[in-house]
């Protein structure tokens, strides 16, 4: 038994047409088809569409140029 996984498109007529070369000639075969509709991907919004200022991620996030930043001593907390 062999397995083939592929994607295909169902036309407006609602019929799926399959053309699968199996490498067998002049023999009867048994075929099982399992199908699953794929979710339509949700388009990704740009940072500007999400309310961020243009260039924010390019200039602010990871935009530090210079000496490495070091965290100052935090001291003790109150008990």
């Amino acid at each position: 038994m062999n397995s083939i996984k592929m994607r295909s498109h169902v036309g407006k007529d609602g019929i799926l047409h399959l053309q699968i070369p199996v490498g067998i000639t002049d023999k009867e075969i048994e075929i099982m088809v399992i199908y699953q509709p794929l979710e339509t991907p949700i388009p990704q919004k740009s940072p500007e569409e999400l309310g961020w200022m243009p260039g924010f991620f390019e200039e602010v996030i990871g935009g530090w140029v210079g000496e490495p930043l070091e965290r100052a001593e935090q001291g003790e907390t109150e008990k």
Side-chain angles (χ1 to χ4, degrees):
M1 174 160 38
N2 293 311
S3 173
I4 298 173
K5 182 176 181 179
M6 58 188 288
R7 285 189 178 200
S8 191
H9 180 78
V10 178
K12 291 182 181 181
D13 59 2
I15 298 174
L16 174 63
H17 299 274
L18 297 175
Q19 293 184 358
I20 303 171
V22 294
I24 300 171
T25 59
D26 200 26
K27 289 190 178 193
E28 289 194 27
I29 61 172
E30 183 176 60
I31 299 169
M32 177 171 52
V33 176
I34 301 171
Y35 69 91
Q36 175 179 352
L38 298 175
E39 300 272 336
T40 304
I42 299 171
Q44 296 293 319
K45 292 186 177 182
S46 70
E48 289 80 13
E49 292 172 317
L50 295 172
W52 294 96
M53 297 182 316
F56 177 80
F57 289 97
E58 290 78 14
E59 296 173 15
V60 176
I61 305 298
W64 174 258
V65 177
E67 297 291 321
L69 295 176
E70 292 186 24
R71 183 176 177 180
E73 186 64 39
Q74 298 300 300
E76 297 292 320
T77 59
E78 293 182 25
K79 293 184 180 181

